[in-house]
Amino acid sequence: MPLTLHQAACGAFAAVSLALGATHWATTPELDWAFEVSSPAVDAGPEPHFETVLDYHSEAGTAHAAAIRSFPDGAAIIWFDGSGEAKRNVEIWQSRITLRDGAWAAGEAETFLRKSDLRPATVPRQEIMTLGNTIQLGRESDRVLSTIVSIGGWAAASIADVQLEDGRVTKVRKLPLSPVLNRSYLVRSPTVTYGDGSIGLPAYFEMDNAFGELVRLDRLGRVRDKRRITQGRLGIQPTIVPFDELNAVALLRNFDRDSDRLVASWTEDGGQSWSKAELLELPNPDAPVAVVRMRNGNLLMAFNNSPDDATILNLAVSDDGGRNWRQIATLEQAGGNVRYPAMTYLPNGQILLTYSYGGKKGIRAHVFNEAWVEAQ
């Protein structure tokens, strides 16, 4: 059957995209594949501490996919908020977490990004139907990566580099990742940093044969390389935690309907190659996790502790690089779906954990220290 004009144009566009990408990568200096690894510089104290700092309920109806932007003096929790996931009225909201009289406190929830802010700054100019998962780009407080949809649903999404100045959007450009009209790539988990200042972006492809990838960005945010972490539909939304310059683990949401366990893969060369994905002895109800590396080298993970029930949120610790885990605490149970945790260290050495709760209707956040973790 002869190709239509539209099919021929799409094929030509994809071929040109691939050729331009290959030429760009081949003519740019080689990347440094050594992770930058740092432990929290501050010990938050010997006395166990745990407190809830944010309990937000969306008036519009849906609040989901919480992430964290880090600042020298605190953090901001960001999430998408609207009448429903992928609806046209979705905006990115935030709540600043700051120290007040020696304790962390959440500020009023407010709009952070709107479609109307992004559209006129997008190069080239284009329609934006809805917004989704949004994360901080490296350590830059004035730059985020946002999942945007110009046509269709999540399977037709793109990752946009959003640059801000004094809170105002100044430039938006899609990362050139897919030959399929640059669609079906999304973000979820925080980036990792390399020794040369470049960035490792855990991303995932969600059209049909879904998989997780590590995307390499240079200091300017330009795409330089991609490395597949998983094959097929076994794992998406990778969370990557380096142990040293070359070794790291990727923990992934299980997207395979025939399996109900958490997925993991390891690298020994800075992310250039990854081991065959393994199913851990931990349940996974098709949900992502959040992980941090503690001062003693152990991993701390927030995850849904059930093969098919996302109403349970647990904390677990691993002392062998993510192969085996010991459950230490239950944070939520039977209170509606509790999903998409995000976790990081605050400047004073305490840990900030946030997630959506109540069936994607609200955002909750806690602050605790390593002494509390060790006491469990």
Side-chain angles (χ1 to χ4, degrees):
M1 180 181 297
L3 292 176
T4 65
L5 181 61
H6 174 72
Q7 290 171 328
C10 289
F13 184 87
V16 170
S17 298
L18 282 172
L20 289 175
T23 300
H24 172 69
W25 292 344
T27 58
T28 313
E30 291 187 6
L31 291 166
D32 179 2
W33 288 91
F35 292 116
E36 180 183 88
V37 182
S38 60
S39 296
V42 181
D43 186 347
E47 295 300 319
H49 174 80
F50 183 101
E51 64 177 327
T52 300
V53 296
L54 177 66
D55 199 338
Y56 166 82
H57 188 84
S58 172
E59 294 184 0
T62 297
H64 189 43
I68 301 171
R69 299 169 64 212
S70 295
F71 303 98
D73 61 348
I77 297 172
I78 58 176
W79 64 89
F80 68 73
D81 202 301
S83 60
E85 187 169 338
K87 298 296 185 181
R88 286 182 174 269
N89 66 349
V90 165
E91 299 175 337
I92 306 300
W93 280 50
Q94 71 172 351
S95 173
R96 289 293 298 262
I97 308 297
T98 57
L99 272 175
R100 301 178 190 173
D101 299 324
W104 293 104
E108 290 293 323
E110 59 184 2
T111 302
F112 172 51
L113 293 176
R114 301 179 179 88
K115 291 189 305 180
S116 57
D117 300 329
L118 272 63
R119 190 181 298 114
T122 303
V123 181
R125 186 76 63 89
Q126 58 192 277
E127 176 62 26
I128 298 176
M129 293 177 57
T130 191
L131 302 174
N133 303 349
T134 299
I135 64 170
Q136 184 174 8
L137 174 56
R139 298 190 182 94
E140 299 188 51
S141 59
D142 58 355
R143 207 159 173 179
V144 297
L145 297 172
S146 189
T147 303
I148 65 173
V149 177
S150 299
I151 185 172
W154 293 134
S158 301
I159 300 173
D161 176 358
V162 181
Q163 300 179 34
L164 304 104
E165 184 175 336
D166 297 326
R168 181 177 62 87
V169 177
T170 58
K171 185 177 181 180
V172 180
R173 64 178 183 87
K174 290 184 177 180
L175 299 185
L177 295 173
S178 171
V180 189
L181 299 180
N182 198 27
R183 302 195 187 280
S184 203
Y185 269 89
L186 301 88
V187 293
R188 163 58 199 151
S189 303
T191 60
V192 295
T193 306
Y194 283 82
D196 62 356
S198 60
I199 301 297
L201 168 63
Y204 61 104
F205 185 81
E206 198 177 292
M207 184 182 292
D208 189 29
N209 189 30
F211 52 81
E213 275 194 338
L214 170 63
V215 178
R216 291 298 311 275
L217 308 176
D218 64 19
R219 292 186 179 188
L220 299 178
R222 298 174 300 190
V223 176
R224 292 285 309 282
D225 203 337
K226 296 191 302 177
R227 300 299 171 105
R228 185 81 65 92
I229 300 175
T230 56
Q231 304 292 329
R233 299 176 63 84
L234 186 59
I236 63 168
Q237 297 179 335
T239 295
I240 297 175
V241 185
F243 310 131
D244 55 39
E245 289 186 347
L246 297 178
N247 291 275
V249 63
L251 295 153
L252 302 100
R253 168 183 175 180
N254 197 327
F255 208 51
D256 186 350
R257 297 294 188 271
D258 295 329
S259 184
D260 54 12
R261 288 186 288 162
L262 195 64
V263 180
S265 178
W266 289 265
T267 180
E268 297 179 348
D269 54 15
Q272 296 178 78
S273 62
W274 294 84
S275 66
K276 183 179 179 180
E278 299 180 17
L279 295 173
L280 299 180
E281 292 302 323
L282 281 179
N284 183 254
D286 189 10
V289 303
V291 189
V292 293
R293 182 174 176 268
M294 299 194 296
R295 289 167 57 87
N296 61 7
N298 290 349
L299 302 182
L300 174 67
M301 177 172 65
F303 75 110
N304 296 108
N305 183 25
S306 170
D308 54 12
D309 183 0
T311 67
I312 304 169
L313 187 69
N314 272 28
L315 289 177
V317 171
S318 172
D319 61 6
D320 63 357
R323 287 175 169 79
N324 295 283
W325 295 84
R326 175 175 61 88
Q327 298 175 39
I328 63 169
T330 299
L331 297 176
E332 302 278 353
Q333 189 167 4
N337 279 359
V338 183
R339 297 172 64 90
Y340 279 57
M343 189 162 44
T344 194
Y345 276 87
L346 291 165
N348 70 343
Q350 291 182 307
I351 300 168
L352 173 63
L353 168 65
T354 184
Y355 48 85
S356 64
Y357 76 98
K360 304 181 184 180
K361 296 184 183 300
I363 302 295
R364 189 166 283 158
H366 311 293
V367 170
F368 53 93
N369 60 5
E370 290 188 353
W372 179 85
V373 173
E374 294 167 357
Q376 302 308 303

